[in-house]
Amino acid sequence: MPHIYIVTDCEFDGPIPGTHSMLSFASVAVSETGQMLGEFEAVLQPLEGAGRDPVTTAFWQAHPQAFAAATENPEPAAEVMARFTAWVKAFRAEPIFAAHPVTLDAPWLDHYLKRFTGRPLFEGPWIADRLFRHPPLCIMSLVAGATGRSPWECDIAHYPREWLGNVPHTHRAIDDARGYANLLHFFLTRREPGGGYRPLLS
């Protein structure tokens, strides 16, 4: 069975899943060879009883268009997560969750999957019907390993635009997921058959 990467970006109104809410998220499915296979995008209703973080609120006030995209026409989170799991399973592949960095976005998907589907983002290999068949991939760490860059240099501000497919980083979930999917595509297509990556000029 082929493998696919589910490259995901989450937008939220605070730093702590559950205490705060995920406003929206988007995913792009990428094949082992870097081919884009599909997209998923959703806006979620806030969690009952959750609050908004003032620092994050100030960030959104400085990005009103992105905030509008992250909050317009929200759907019940339970419906979104059910639709998301069905979308992932429809590829009939072995999916790998991927994010940049995985430590930022994975906790949100993990919390929402646990709360609304009863299953975590990643389960042990003894669980036969787990949604994601392999451990999550950190695209930031992949870039660091492939380029020899320090982790603090593996950031949108330091990447050549062509690595992101010239997709602007707008803080709209689907735009950012597309950019990170292109980043993953860039490095997947530079892999040598025997391992390692072709040298980069920048």
Side-chain angles (χ1 to χ4, degrees), residues 34-107:
Q35 180 184 2
M36 308 297 175
L37 301 176
E39 295 181 346
F40 182 95
E41 182 181 16
V43 176
L44 299 83
Q45 294 177 355
L47 297 175
E48 184 177 353
R52 285 188 174 181
D53 171 62
V55 174
T56 311
T57 298
F59 168 84
W60 285 120
Q61 288 173 344
H63 299 84
Q65 291 183 325
F67 183 72
T71 54
E72 287 178 346
N73 302 315
E75 302 176 80
E79 295 179 12
V80 170
M81 300 317 296
R83 197 167 73 247
F84 174 71
T85 56
W87 177 75
V88 173
K89 291 178 179 179
F91 288 104
R92 299 190 181 279
E94 294 193 0
I96 301 165
F97 181 85
H100 184 294
V102 76
T103 51
L104 180 64
D105 299 283

Side-chain angles (χ1 to χ4, degrees), residues 30-191:
V30 182
S31 74
E32 294 176 85
T33 58
Q35 180 184 2
M36 308 297 175
L37 301 176
E39 295 181 346
F40 182 95
E41 182 181 16
V43 176
L44 299 83
Q45 294 177 355
L47 297 175
E48 184 177 353
R52 285 188 174 181
D53 171 62
V55 174
T56 311
T57 298
F59 168 84
W60 285 120
Q61 288 173 344
H63 299 84
Q65 291 183 325
F67 183 72
T71 54
E72 287 178 346
N73 302 315
E75 302 176 80
E79 295 179 12
V80 170
M81 300 317 296
R83 197 167 73 247
F84 174 71
T85 56
W87 177 75
V88 173
K89 291 178 179 179
F91 288 104
R92 299 190 181 279
E94 294 193 0
I96 301 165
F97 181 85
H100 184 294
V102 76
T103 51
L104 180 64
D105 299 283
W108 287 97
L109 261 291
D110 181 67
H111 179 83
Y112 274 70
L113 285 170
K114 286 175 180 174
R115 183 160 178 169
F116 296 106
T117 74
R119 306 285 291 273
L121 176 68
F122 181 62
E123 298 174 288
W126 57 89
I127 306 297
D129 64 339
R130 57 194 184 275
L131 180 63
F132 290 98
R133 301 288 299 177
H134 303 281
L137 171 70
C138 181
I139 301 173
M140 180 182 286
S141 298
L142 173 67
V143 175
T147 63
R149 290 177 172 223
S150 300
W152 51 89
E153 297 176 309
C154 296
D155 181 81
I156 290 294
H158 294 94
Y159 294 152
R161 290 172 59 100
E162 58 268 24
W163 288 13
L164 302 166
N166 293 302
V167 175
H169 194 78
T170 66
H171 302 292
R172 180 186 172 196
I174 190 62
D175 290 341
D176 297 356
R178 287 169 180 160
Y180 291 135
N182 282 321
L183 182 64
L184 178 59
H185 167 271
F186 181 84
F187 283 94
L188 289 176
T189 55
R190 297 190 70 83
R191 265 194 317 214

